[in-house]
Short mmCIF file of all heavy atoms in Angstrom, two decimals:
data_model
loop_
_atom_site.label_atom_id
_atom_site.label_comp_id
_atom_site.label_asym_id
_atom_site.label_seq_id
_atom_site.Cartn_x
_atom_site.Cartn_y
_atom_site.Cartn_z
N VAL A 754 -71.25 -10.41 28.81
CA VAL A 754 -72.10 -10.35 30.01
C VAL A 754 -73.29 -9.41 29.69
O VAL A 754 -73.09 -8.26 29.37
CB VAL A 754 -71.31 -9.86 31.24
CG1 VAL A 754 -72.25 -9.77 32.45
CG2 VAL A 754 -70.13 -10.76 31.52
N VAL A 755 -74.50 -9.96 29.82
CA VAL A 755 -75.69 -9.15 29.51
C VAL A 755 -76.59 -9.12 30.74
O VAL A 755 -76.63 -10.09 31.50
CB VAL A 755 -76.45 -9.74 28.28
CG1 VAL A 755 -75.61 -9.65 27.06
CG2 VAL A 755 -76.89 -11.18 28.54
N ARG A 756 -77.28 -8.03 30.89
CA ARG A 756 -78.25 -7.91 31.99
C ARG A 756 -79.64 -8.11 31.43
O ARG A 756 -80.08 -7.38 30.55
CB ARG A 756 -78.15 -6.56 32.67
CG ARG A 756 -79.01 -6.41 33.92
CD ARG A 756 -78.91 -4.99 34.51
NE ARG A 756 -79.75 -4.89 35.67
CZ ARG A 756 -79.31 -5.03 36.93
NH1 ARG A 756 -78.04 -5.31 37.13
NH2 ARG A 756 -80.15 -4.90 37.95
N ILE A 757 -80.29 -9.12 31.89
CA ILE A 757 -81.65 -9.44 31.40
C ILE A 757 -82.43 -10.11 32.56
O ILE A 757 -81.87 -10.92 33.31
CB ILE A 757 -81.61 -10.34 30.15
CG1 ILE A 757 -83.03 -10.52 29.58
CG2 ILE A 757 -80.95 -11.68 30.45
CD1 ILE A 757 -83.01 -11.14 28.18
N GLY A 758 -83.67 -9.73 32.72
CA GLY A 758 -84.47 -10.28 33.82
C GLY A 758 -83.88 -9.93 35.17
O GLY A 758 -83.99 -10.72 36.11
N THR A 759 -83.24 -8.77 35.27
CA THR A 759 -82.57 -8.22 36.47
C THR A 759 -81.28 -8.97 36.82
O THR A 759 -80.60 -8.59 37.78
CB THR A 759 -83.50 -8.22 37.73
OG1 THR A 759 -83.61 -9.54 38.22
CG2 THR A 759 -84.82 -7.59 37.40
N TYR A 760 -80.91 -10.02 36.09
CA TYR A 760 -79.73 -10.80 36.37
C TYR A 760 -78.66 -10.57 35.30
O TYR A 760 -78.98 -10.23 34.13
CB TYR A 760 -80.03 -12.28 36.48
CG TYR A 760 -80.81 -12.69 37.71
CD1 TYR A 760 -82.20 -12.70 37.69
CD2 TYR A 760 -80.14 -13.01 38.90
CE1 TYR A 760 -82.93 -13.07 38.85
CE2 TYR A 760 -80.86 -13.37 40.03
CZ TYR A 760 -82.26 -13.42 40.00
OH TYR A 760 -82.95 -13.77 41.13
N PHE A 761 -77.38 -10.77 35.72
CA PHE A 761 -76.29 -10.72 34.74
C PHE A 761 -75.99 -12.16 34.28
O PHE A 761 -75.72 -13.04 35.11
CB PHE A 761 -75.04 -10.11 35.37
CG PHE A 761 -75.15 -8.64 35.59
CD1 PHE A 761 -75.45 -8.13 36.84
CD2 PHE A 761 -74.94 -7.76 34.54
CE1 PHE A 761 -75.59 -6.75 37.02
CE2 PHE A 761 -75.04 -6.35 34.73
CZ PHE A 761 -75.38 -5.88 35.97
N LEU A 762 -75.99 -12.35 32.96
CA LEU A 762 -75.74 -13.68 32.41
C LEU A 762 -74.55 -13.59 31.44
O LEU A 762 -74.46 -12.64 30.64
CB LEU A 762 -76.95 -14.19 31.66
CG LEU A 762 -78.24 -14.33 32.48
CD1 LEU A 762 -79.39 -14.77 31.60
CD2 LEU A 762 -78.06 -15.32 33.62
N ASN A 763 -73.68 -14.59 31.51
CA ASN A 763 -72.47 -14.60 30.65
C ASN A 763 -72.64 -15.67 29.56
O ASN A 763 -72.89 -16.83 29.86
CB ASN A 763 -71.23 -14.91 31.47
CG ASN A 763 -69.94 -14.63 30.71
OD1 ASN A 763 -69.87 -14.88 29.52
ND2 ASN A 763 -68.91 -14.19 31.44
N VAL A 764 -72.52 -15.25 28.30
CA VAL A 764 -72.71 -16.20 27.18
C VAL A 764 -71.69 -17.35 27.27
O VAL A 764 -72.01 -18.48 26.84
CB VAL A 764 -72.59 -15.47 25.83
CG1 VAL A 764 -71.17 -14.93 25.61
CG2 VAL A 764 -72.97 -16.39 24.68
N ARG A 765 -70.50 -17.08 27.81
CA ARG A 765 -69.52 -18.16 27.93
C ARG A 765 -70.00 -19.28 28.90
O ARG A 765 -69.57 -20.41 28.77
CB ARG A 765 -68.16 -17.59 28.37
CG ARG A 765 -67.53 -16.69 27.30
CD ARG A 765 -66.19 -16.15 27.75
NE ARG A 765 -65.58 -15.42 26.63
CZ ARG A 765 -64.82 -15.93 25.69
NH1 ARG A 765 -64.57 -17.27 25.72
NH2 ARG A 765 -64.31 -15.21 24.73
N ARG A 766 -70.82 -18.90 29.83
CA ARG A 766 -71.37 -19.92 30.74
C ARG A 766 -72.30 -20.84 29.95
O ARG A 766 -72.29 -22.06 30.19
CB ARG A 766 -72.12 -19.26 31.89
CG ARG A 766 -72.67 -20.18 32.93
CD ARG A 766 -71.57 -20.94 33.66
NE ARG A 766 -72.09 -21.82 34.67
CZ ARG A 766 -71.71 -23.07 34.86
NH1 ARG A 766 -70.74 -23.56 34.11
NH2 ARG A 766 -72.21 -23.81 35.82
N PHE A 767 -73.10 -20.32 29.07
CA PHE A 767 -73.99 -21.10 28.25
C PHE A 767 -73.18 -22.09 27.38
O PHE A 767 -73.53 -23.26 27.22
CB PHE A 767 -74.86 -20.22 27.34
CG PHE A 767 -75.96 -19.57 28.04
CD1 PHE A 767 -75.80 -18.35 28.74
CD2 PHE A 767 -77.27 -20.10 28.02
CE1 PHE A 767 -76.84 -17.72 29.37
CE2 PHE A 767 -78.33 -19.47 28.66
CZ PHE A 767 -78.12 -18.26 29.35
N ILE A 768 -72.08 -21.58 26.78
CA ILE A 768 -71.22 -22.40 25.95
C ILE A 768 -70.61 -23.55 26.73
O ILE A 768 -70.59 -24.71 26.29
CB ILE A 768 -70.11 -21.56 25.28
CG1 ILE A 768 -70.76 -20.51 24.32
CG2 ILE A 768 -69.12 -22.40 24.54
CD1 ILE A 768 -69.77 -19.50 23.78
N ALA A 769 -70.15 -23.25 27.95
CA ALA A 769 -69.55 -24.28 28.78
C ALA A 769 -70.55 -25.35 29.18
O ALA A 769 -70.25 -26.55 29.14
CB ALA A 769 -68.92 -23.64 30.03
N VAL A 770 -71.79 -24.93 29.51
CA VAL A 770 -72.82 -25.92 29.88
C VAL A 770 -73.15 -26.82 28.72
O VAL A 770 -73.29 -28.05 28.85
CB VAL A 770 -74.08 -25.18 30.40
CG1 VAL A 770 -75.24 -26.16 30.56
CG2 VAL A 770 -73.77 -24.48 31.74
N ALA A 771 -73.28 -26.20 27.53
CA ALA A 771 -73.64 -26.99 26.34
C ALA A 771 -72.57 -28.05 26.04
O ALA A 771 -72.87 -29.18 25.67
CB ALA A 771 -73.85 -26.08 25.15
N GLU A 772 -71.32 -27.64 26.22
CA GLU A 772 -70.21 -28.51 25.92
C GLU A 772 -70.06 -29.61 26.99
O GLU A 772 -69.91 -30.80 26.63
CB GLU A 772 -68.94 -27.69 25.82
CG GLU A 772 -67.71 -28.51 25.48
CD GLU A 772 -66.46 -27.58 25.37
OE1 GLU A 772 -66.55 -26.48 24.80
OE2 GLU A 772 -65.42 -28.00 25.88
#
Side-chain angles (χ1 to χ4, degrees):
V754 179
V755 296
R756 186 182 180 95
I757 187 168
T759 74
Y760 288 92
F761 288 99
L762 301 176
N763 192 324
V764 66
R765 292 182 176 272
R766 182 65 178 135
F767 283 84
I768 295 172
V770 170
E772 182 180 318

